[in-house]
Amino acid sequence: MPIETLPASALRARVDPQALGFADTDELQELPLPWIGQERAEQAARFGLKIEEPDYHLFVLGETGCGRTTLLQRLVREVAATRPVPPDLVYLNDFEAPERPRALRLPPGQGRELRQLMAELAKTLQTQIPRRLLAPDYTVAADRVQAAAQAEEERDLAALRAFAESRRFALVHEPSREHTAEPAREGPGREPGRMVFTRRAADGQPLTAEKAAALAPEERAAIDADEEALRAEVGRFTERSRAREQSANETLGSLRRQAVKPLLEHGLQTIRAALRKRIKDTVKLGRWLEQVQQHVLDNLELFVAGEAADEGARVDALLALLARLRVNVAVDHHDQTGAPVVVDDNPVYRSLFGSVEYEAESDVLVTDFSRIRAGSLLRAHGGFLLLHLSDLLADLAVWEKLRRFLRSGRLQIEEPGTMFAPISAVSLQPEPVDVDVKIVLIASVADYYLVQEGDPEVARHFRCKVDFAGSFRATDESRRATAIFVAHACRRMGLPPFDAGAVARLIEETHREAEDQSRQSAVFARTEALVMEAAAIARGRGAARVEAFDVRAALEARARRHDYPEQRLQEAIADGERLIEAGGERIGVLNGLSVVDLGDHRFGLPVRVVASTHAGEDGLLNIEREVALSGPAHDKGVLVLHSHLATLFRHVAPLALSATVVVEQEYGGIEGDSASCAEFYALLSSLAGLPLRQGIAVTGAINQAGEMLPVGGVNEKIEGFFRTCMQQGLDGSQGVLIPARSRRRLMLGTELCEAVAAGRFHIYTADTAGAGMELLTGRAYGRLGSGGYAADTVLGMAQRTLQAFRRACQAAQPSAPAPSRPWRRPPAPLGAGRKGGRIRAQRLR
């Protein structure tokens, strides 16, 4: 196809404000906000949230700002509202193994209720048990037991005294404590006291050592035998006394249990009645309440004040006992409606998986079941948990723990830092719990495929892929949906409404971001930012509504805030530091177009492409590649154009050609193949000796068949050269040549469109490189015939030069002409990109 000059109407997609069907966005605020252009993602998300089979967690991927997080949160909350409220989770002390607290799930709200009931029971026990043990019915029975034990002990003691008197020993019993009616502590029994006995002489006086020494040996032996018999009798008395004491204690303990057990059973039965709903862990709760009852009955002596010396220790032990009756409500759903939705924006180990808190006591870290804290996973049980993959990948320990959880579906709360603590720690091992949660993992496209390849074990648990599109086809429905999005943004942030013209301008900007007249960008975060900036400008001039003028002013202000590097480079061109000519003709020289991407700002910049040719056998040399300043895509483009050149002149092969091509004054590295067409034109111009128009810049890739291929950044490239031409003066002959396949990507600025409409600037399109060469040289490109190309065509003149080169090479080596060497391939470049300064990367796309 021949060259086509585009009219101004073809340079951008325009949105008619009248076609939007509203005056301003206040009319749209009550309309529901759809998933704009994300129908595929919405269907996938609804499927993933509905399916209840395991391993169907959601993997949400898309570009940052496309609404993946906001839309998923909204949909998840919508689905969660239809689900039942999950049970509470409580941790209880295990009286048999305190280091292994029990986990218990209760119907929603009953965790808090159980905690309150157990707290009331502890208060009741603390006040009522002492009263029961001091009541007359108990004290009378206890006194009776004590009196019987004391009477029996006195009879045994009298018999022991009589036995001692019969052997002329005086016996004194020193009891360790008085027998009283107060409750005796339970244990191995009270000590029977100390027995002191003294031998008497014949005169009834105590037998002294001097008197004993004066006795005959037979008398001393008799005394020793009597003493041994008395000692044996005292031992028997002591054993009977201890047995009697133990029996009395058991009887008193039984009396205490009988006195307190009805009170305790009534309190526990009240708790059972209050938690009458059938639950999964009913048996576990019943066993724990039985443990509570037994534990209290085994420690009744702590509830009654004893001797003053032991009072402090008794109170501490009593408080510790009551603390073990508490209920740790780790997850409370008493006020929940629907399933929980947990969004964890900081998923560190403790916040995601739960933790056990510690307290330092005497250089030891101590803890108990009441210090167990639930994490996001436990709080999301029965519901949904939203996480960002980048946060998880930043912490290897979190990633490993999550992998184990996904494999088993059970969560074990642990504190990984205790093993590295500077002091020893008392650790807990809470009972593992099953967790039923739907995880929604939000990620970039790159991170998604990183996990797919690097950790397939985790990836297989996320079988539902929710892929957010970066752009979507523009329709009347999508444009109205965009207007609804603007209306909701204004209401949410309290901004003035946008009129139809302002919304139309916003929609046009979404086409610019998508680089497509038929598609809109799905990255609505940029649109939302533009809404806020335009509203600020409208408020600044005191307007009640935002108009198209405000949106345009916001775009200009944004560009002004970020375009300092662009301004400096354009000034360098105007000052002659960067060699760019926007007029005249040059052989082997052409203006190419590049895009500089700084992350927060993209702009186009013309670059000069220079080629030189001479007779030789070195082939085509890409200077950027020789010095490792070009990326693989640019190197590929040079190889492709070399292949196309060899195909054009295959009838004069082997080619005796040495050629170089370079993008001048580029020292930070270039990437992309969009300069390959300009490089081809410069090379062909040098071969044919035909000058090229410097007022026309070229962008486009070329394939081996000579067709021009579409490239990216076409709007920035055209506008960059347009600014250069404006600085040097528009004369009506300047313009840009682009591939015809890039035509629909045009979304040029208003000023440039006006210049095209006035005939001061031109946009040309071509399907083939040959058509573009005719535009640049004003001469026919040429067609291969039986005798080669016609002499007056571009290819014919280049053919003549190549034939002359071959004759020159043959003349230089008449005896043994060397065969034409193929183009040599230098070592692969190490990479591309600027090494410093403000310009971080430049793409010739």
Side-chain angles (χ1 to χ4, degrees), residues 338-536:
V341 177
V342 179
V343 181
D344 196 339
D345 291 322
N346 184 33
V348 296
Y349 197 99
R350 295 167 61 91
S351 68
L352 182 58
F353 302 111
S355 62
V356 180
E357 297 179 351
Y358 287 82
E359 181 179 2
E361 289 185 6
S362 302
D363 295 333
V364 176
L365 293 176
V366 297
T367 187
D368 59 29
F369 74 99
S370 65
R371 297 177 182 271
I372 301 173
R373 301 292 178 257
S376 300
L377 274 171
L378 287 178
R379 289 187 287 110
H381 171 74
F384 307 90
L385 174 62
L386 279 74
L387 300 168
H388 285 269
L389 177 60
S390 58
D391 297 334
L392 302 177
L393 294 178
D395 192 331
L396 181 60
V398 171
W399 185 255
E400 292 295 334
K401 179 77 172 180
L402 180 63
R403 178 193 286 114
R404 293 194 294 271
F405 166 73
L406 291 172
R407 185 190 308 128
S408 64
R410 293 173 63 83
L411 183 63
Q412 168 75 62
I413 295 181
E414 56 190 355
E415 191 66 28
T418 55
M419 66 183 68
F420 306 110
I423 57 178
S424 59
V426 177
S427 62
L428 291 182
Q429 294 182 2
E431 180 183 1
V433 292
D434 294 327
V435 181
D436 179 17
V437 62
K438 181 77 71 173
I439 299 177
V440 179
L441 199 55
I442 301 171
S444 65
V445 176
D447 286 344
Y448 170 79
Y449 288 105
L450 176 66
V451 172
Q452 290 288 328
E453 181 178 358
D455 200 337
E457 180 184 354
V458 172
R460 75 176 184 86
H461 297 288
F462 291 85
R463 294 178 176 173
C464 186
K465 177 183 178 183
V466 182
D467 195 354
F468 274 73
S471 65
F472 53 88
R473 190 165 296 279
T475 63
D476 292 340
E477 290 76 15
S478 70
R479 289 171 175 170
R480 184 167 180 81
T482 303
I484 296 174
F485 169 81
V486 176
H488 281 247
C490 291
R491 182 176 63 177
R492 186 178 69 253
M493 294 181 285
L495 304 177
F498 279 58
D499 67 12
V503 174
R505 187 65 186 86
L506 288 171
I507 295 174
E508 291 176 3
E509 188 61 22
T510 64
H511 284 275
R512 166 77 179 221
E513 292 171 357
E515 292 188 295
D516 200 317
Q517 294 184 8
S518 62
R519 301 183 69 84
Q520 292 180 243
S521 170
V523 184
F524 281 95
R526 300 172 188 160
T527 303
E528 186 176 71
L530 186 56
V531 166
M532 291 186 285
E533 294 167 15

Side-chain angles (χ1 to χ4, degrees), residues 1-3 681 737 765-776 781:
M1 292 181 62
I3 290 291
Y681 290 149
L737 173 63
T765 65
D767 284 311
T768 63
M773 194 64 179
E774 292 178 354
L775 172 68
L776 295 172
Y781 188 57

Side-chain angles (χ1 to χ4, degrees), residues 693-844:
R693 294 171 59 182
Q694 300 301 294
I696 298 179
V698 176
T699 183
I702 188 174
N703 65 12
Q704 294 187 88
E707 297 171 319
M708 293 184 68
L709 304 179
V711 293
V714 65
N715 296 295
E716 290 82 0
K717 293 175 180 179
I718 294 173
E719 291 170 351
F721 186 65
F722 176 69
R723 295 187 186 98
T724 300
C725 293
M726 288 184 63
Q727 288 182 347
Q728 298 186 13
L730 292 174
D731 57 15
S733 65
Q734 294 138 332
V736 173
L737 173 63
I738 64 172
R741 295 173 178 83
S742 293
R743 174 175 176 171
R744 68 184 182 90
R745 298 185 178 276
L746 293 176
M747 281 298 297
L748 298 172
T750 304
E751 185 178 13
L752 194 151
C753 292
E754 292 173 352
V756 170
R760 295 184 294 118
F761 197 77
H762 308 279
I763 307 297
Y764 304 100
T765 65
D767 284 311
T768 63
M773 194 64 179
E774 292 178 354
L775 172 68
L776 295 172
T777 61
R779 189 180 291 268
Y781 188 57
R783 184 182 297 273
L784 183 63
S786 58
Y789 297 105
D792 59 344
T793 62
V794 174
L795 295 180
M797 299 175 71
Q799 172 185 275
R800 184 169 61 248
T801 302
L802 288 172
Q803 290 171 341
F805 285 171
R806 185 169 62 179
R807 289 192 297 270
C809 288
Q810 289 174 349
Q813 298 178 356
S815 58
S820 177
R821 269 194 316 183
W823 179 81
R824 66 186 181 89
R825 182 181 183 127
L830 297 177
R834 290 190 180 271
K835 302 300 187 292
R838 281 183 168 273
I839 309 301
R840 298 189 306 189
Q842 178 156 316
R843 297 183 61 86
L844 291 171

Side-chain angles (χ1 to χ4, degrees), residues 110-130:
Q110 289 196 5
R112 174 178 291 228
E113 186 176 358
L114 177 61
R115 179 177 61 188
Q116 181 65 28
L117 290 172
M118 290 303 298
E120 293 174 358
L121 176 63
K123 292 181 180 179
T124 300
L125 297 178
Q126 194 172 6
T127 57
Q128 293 301 320
I129 288 179

Side-chain angles (χ1 to χ4, degrees), residues 135-150:
D137 55 345
Y138 171 77
T139 57
V140 169
D143 288 345
R144 188 180 301 114
V145 172
Q146 294 283 9
Q150 185 174 359

Side-chain angles (χ1 to χ4, degrees), residues 40 334 510 626 751:
R40 180 197 303 271
H334 78 282
T510 64
E626 289 293 314
E751 185 178 13

